[in-house]
């Protein structure tokens, strides 16, 4: 499909609002979790050591994946009565090695499926007239560098930048039938978040983060806000 001018939509701000809500939730859980772990003076002295963890880790998480550009990328000006669903459950699996204040991380990220239904006036080369619909599935693998800083006892701020190797499957349905377009490529990915150490023998941590990926030949911006559990070896 041809590119179209990206329209401003309040939905663009949904992932950032979700990140604030998840961060607030984890912050409220922090004191209770610390009390449950039986914190003492010695443990308090170890907090920064725990936050600046060194070693291998694995993690898994889920959240909300939002494709901001999907509809506009497929609207050639002939569409009306557009009903879209730009959000789906995003799933992430990852692993890496932390050197203390920086680390290397690789993983798999699935953005789920987004879709829209519309009516085309048939006055464009892209769509035939009548009811039309499109769905887009996207997922891929990423590798990146992570910078991190223990800002408070048990709490670590981090930011990541890397490469996301994506693949997409887009399905178009209109009056004459259904067609499928499969694409693959790679683009820059970046993100930021917070991590809370549960204090269980340095093994478990909770992570809340925001990531931004680019997918498909239309360069759709996909934002994912999620929460993950991290196990440290």
């Amino acid at each position: 499909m041809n590119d179209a001018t990206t329209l401003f939509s309040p939905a663009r701000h949904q992932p950032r609002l979700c990140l604030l809500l998840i961060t607030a939730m984890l912050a409220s859980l922090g004191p209770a979790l610390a009390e449950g772990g039986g914190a003492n003076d010695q443990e308090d002295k170890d907090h920064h050591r725990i936050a600046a963890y060194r070693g291998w880790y694995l993690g898994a998480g889920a959240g909300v994946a939002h494709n901001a550009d999907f509809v506009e990328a497929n609207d050639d000006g002939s569409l009306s009565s557009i009903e879209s669903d730009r959000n789906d459950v995003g799933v992430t699996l990852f692993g890496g090695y932390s050197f203390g204040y920086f680390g290397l991380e690789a993983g798999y990220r699935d953005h789920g499926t987004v879709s829209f239904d519309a009516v085309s006036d048939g006055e464009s080369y892209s769509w035939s007239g009548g009811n039309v619909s499109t769905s887009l599935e996207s997922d891929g693998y990423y590798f990146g560098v992570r910078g991190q800083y223990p800002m408070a006892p048990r709490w670590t701020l981090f930011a990541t930048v890397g490469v996301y190797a994506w693949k997409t499957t887009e399905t178009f349905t209109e009056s004459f039938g259904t067609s499928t377009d499969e694409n693959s490529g790679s683009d820059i990915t970046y993100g930021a978040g917070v991590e809370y150490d549960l204090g269980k023998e340095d093994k478990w941590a909770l992570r809340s983060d925001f990531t931004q990926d680019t997918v498909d030949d239309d360069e759709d911006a996909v934002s994912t806000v999620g929460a993950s559990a991290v196990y440290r070896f």
Side-chain angles (χ1 to χ4, degrees):
M1 307 300 298
N2 62 313
D3 291 335
T5 302
T6 300
L7 302 178
F8 173 80
S9 169
R12 284 178 170 272
H13 300 288
Q14 291 177 357
R16 292 166 178 79
L17 291 175
C18 291
L19 177 59
L20 291 175
L21 291 174
I22 292 172
T23 302
M25 178 189 68
L26 292 178
S28 66
L29 288 175
L33 292 171
E35 290 177 5
N40 52 42
D41 292 341
Q42 183 59 45
E43 187 179 21
D44 289 339
K45 294 178 182 179
D46 289 342
H47 280 161
H48 282 282
R49 177 185 59 80
I50 293 172
Y53 171 75
R54 296 172 181 266
W56 295 97
Y57 62 89
L58 290 174
V64 178
H66 174 75
N67 190 318
D69 302 320
F70 168 62
V71 176
E72 289 76 13
N74 288 282
D75 185 1
D76 57 5
S78 71
L79 301 182
S80 61
S81 303
I82 300 174
E83 296 183 3
S84 64
D85 185 358
R86 302 172 188 248
N87 303 322
D88 201 1
V89 175
V91 177
T92 303
L93 303 173
F94 57 88
Y97 189 88
S98 173
F99 297 92
Y101 290 97
F102 75 97
L104 300 176
E105 184 172 297
Y108 167 79
R109 190 151 51 236
D110 188 337
H111 302 119
T113 303
V114 293
S115 62
F116 75 83
D117 299 302
V119 177
S120 172
D121 59 19
E123 296 182 0
S124 171
Y125 64 88
S126 299
W127 295 101
S128 60
N131 294 328
V132 299
S133 64
T134 302
S135 65
L136 176 72
E137 302 173 38
S138 62
D139 67 340
Y141 296 90
Y142 72 89
F143 176 79
V145 178
R146 166 174 157 143
Q148 52 199 16
Y149 181 76
M151 63 174 181
R154 297 187 186 277
W155 290 95
T156 300
L157 278 177
F158 66 86
T160 59
V161 62
V163 177
Y164 182 64
W166 52 264
K167 62 183 180 65
T168 59
T169 300
E170 196 163 15
T171 302
F172 306 95
T173 302
E174 44 195 321
S175 59
F176 65 81
T178 299
S179 60
T180 300
D181 184 23
E182 295 183 348
N183 288 296
S184 62
S186 61
D187 285 282
I188 296 295
T189 180
Y190 60 89
V194 294
E195 197 165 280
Y196 178 76
D197 190 294
L198 295 178
K200 304 298 183 181
E201 299 180 352
D202 297 4
K203 293 298 185 182
W204 290 97
L206 298 179
R207 176 188 294 188
S208 175
D209 63 355
F210 168 87
T211 58
Q212 180 86 22
D213 300 317
T214 300
V215 304
D216 201 50
D217 288 343
D218 292 321
E219 297 186 347
D220 293 359
V222 182
S223 305
T224 302
V225 176
S228 306
V230 182
Y231 179 78
R232 297 164 170 175
F233 293 92

